[in-house]
Amino acid sequence: MLNDVKAGFTFVYDPESKVTDSNDGSSSTGRFITIRVSSGKEIRTKEEFIKQMAEVACLSFGFDPASDKGKAIKDIVKSDAFIDAVCPDGYKPWELESGGFTDEATKTLLGEDMKQQRLLGKAPKDPQPTEGKRTAQVLNSFLNHLGDRDEPMVTVATVGRHGFNALPNHPSLDRLKGKNPTETAENVDKYLVKKGETLKNTELSTERAAWLFDQELDNAIENCDSEFEADLVNGARTHRPTDKMKPEAVNRAIKDAMATYYDKLARKKANAWKVKEESEGRAVTAEDLNKKKTTLEGGYVTSRENRAKSALIRDMGAPEFVIADTNWGGPGDKTLFVIAPDPTTGEPIMWKKTLPPGSLRPAGRQWVDDEWEQIS
């Protein structure tokens, strides 16, 4: 019967399935759905799981589902004892984890045959490597373990966070692959680390720096709160580059030009939040209000910095090494994991690249600090 159950079910990734919680911190939609192979029936509820499992069991034993023996099988399948036995530790085949190819989804497909191979252990905390050094370690480990694989996709995971499809044969990785780990490390240093240092120290012409600055400010003004538009216009006039600039200085000029606008916008939004909270009977202290304002302002600034860095990467021709498809996105878009230098610091970091339009934003160092493993 066990083999019949394994053969009777599979799963598919549904990018539009809404989720309420995700391990990866990014997935508002997208989860794996258990599917009955013979009918394609989606199993999204406990009741449907019981029904489909009972049918598979009856077929395995050769019982008519409408017979007394068939009904007895269904009674067993829907019993608490059976559900507890096949769904340990909160595992629910009808409600798989969100955010990618997780242990639960793998368990559904492979059962006890699932194998996990460590690619790189969790980053040490004392001493903690820099994000750039750790990112290079992740890339080297990725290439050394998976670089000679023939498959276009290999299932990997950042343990406890997210499962996704590695792309070991993406063309961007070709120049990094060496004949041995030493040669691979030399290539990573040459084409990623050293290139990042060069980008960081590149002086952009006055015209080029001003053009990049104008692109960001024009976009901000076009989409701003009109109440504070004058602050953006004044910021653009005050901080527009008038001399050669390195990438970090361009990014800082953009940030400084928008500082007053974001301060006022965050205060306005925080005050509106306070009114809403109090209208619903929740008290808001001055500390609460200030914390909300700080959080909002930080989010605005980070989002704009990410846009500026993405523009710098694109304009300066920074190398981008695609390592994985994240499994995030919908029918019309997807998000890749890409390793590229941060042009303002020179350090390699991991980015999330959304296609279309090709925009980049930092993934966050928690991704490279995690333990990485291959699942098969």
Side-chain angles (χ1 to χ4, degrees), residues 41 45 56 65 68 71 80 113 150-151 154 157-158 169 173 195 218 237 263 275 322 332 346:
K41 180 70 177 180
T45 66
V56 170
D68 290 341
K71 292 176 182 178
D80 290 341
D113 296 329
D150 294 327
E151 307 97 308
V154 177
T158 47
N169 290 303
L173 301 174
K195 182 64 174 178
D218 288 348
R237 290 171 180 164
D263 174 71
V275 170
V322 178

Side-chain angles (χ1 to χ4, degrees), residues 193-257:
V193 178
K194 291 290 195 301
K195 182 64 174 178
E197 293 172 359
T198 299
L199 289 171
K200 172 189 174 183
N201 294 312
T202 297
E203 279 199 333
L204 303 172
S205 68
T206 305
E207 294 76 19
R208 195 173 172 194
W211 181 82
L212 286 164
F213 177 92
D214 290 344
Q215 293 294 303
E216 292 306 308
L217 267 295
D218 288 348
N219 175 270
I221 291 170
E222 182 180 349
N223 297 286
C224 75
D225 184 321
S226 59
E227 183 179 352
F228 310 122
E229 181 176 346
D231 294 299
L232 279 178
V233 174
N234 290 335
R237 290 171 180 164
T238 302
H239 296 282
R240 191 173 190 267
T242 57
D243 202 351
K244 295 177 181 179
M245 279 188 173
K246 294 180 180 180
E248 192 278 330
V250 174
N251 192 53
R252 187 171 64 251
I254 293 169
K255 181 178 178 180
D256 290 345

Side-chain angles (χ1 to χ4, degrees), residues 199-200 247-249 251-252 308-309 312 341-347:
L199 289 171
K200 172 189 174 183
E248 192 278 330
N251 192 53
R252 187 171 64 251
K309 288 181 180 181
L312 283 163
D342 180 335
T344 66
T345 66
E347 285 205 330

Side-chain angles (χ1 to χ4, degrees), residues 226-301:
S226 59
E227 183 179 352
F228 310 122
E229 181 176 346
D231 294 299
L232 279 178
V233 174
N234 290 335
R237 290 171 180 164
T238 302
H239 296 282
R240 191 173 190 267
T242 57
D243 202 351
K244 295 177 181 179
M245 279 188 173
K246 294 180 180 180
E248 192 278 330
V250 174
N251 192 53
R252 187 171 64 251
I254 293 169
K255 181 178 178 180
D256 290 345
M258 300 185 185
T260 300
Y261 170 76
Y262 282 142
D263 174 71
K264 292 183 178 180
L265 179 64
R267 191 173 302 281
K268 176 181 178 178
K269 296 292 186 181
N271 285 334
W273 168 80
K274 179 177 183 290
V275 170
K276 183 176 184 297
E277 289 293 295
E278 291 179 339
S279 71
E280 295 175 356
R282 292 183 288 271
V284 176
T285 66
E287 182 181 358
D288 294 334
L289 182 61
N290 187 60
K291 185 180 294 185
K292 183 67 173 180
K293 187 258 183 185
T294 299
T295 299
L296 288 168
E297 187 173 2
Y300 298 147
V301 171

Side-chain angles (χ1 to χ4, degrees), residues 121-130 134 137 365 369:
K122 194 174 181 67
K125 293 185 177 181
D126 186 21
Q128 185 181 42
T130 65
R134 175 65 180 183
Q137 290 174 348
R365 75 164 296 163
D369 280 347

Side-chain angles (χ1 to χ4, degrees), residues 307 310 314 332-334 353-360:
R307 270 188 55 94
S310 181
R314 185 170 56 249
D333 63 85
K334 63 179 178 179
K353 183 171 186 175
T354 303
L355 297 172
S359 57
L360 292 152

Side-chain angles (χ1 to χ4, degrees), residues 6 36 41 56 69 81 97 120 180 184 242 271 285 317 320-321 339 346 356 373:
K6 286 185 177 182
R36 177 76 182 275
K41 180 70 177 180
V56 170
K69 289 183 178 179
E97 289 178 358
L120 185 65
N180 52 59
T184 296
T242 57
N271 285 334
T285 66
E320 299 178 26
F321 300 104
I339 290 178
E373 68 179 16

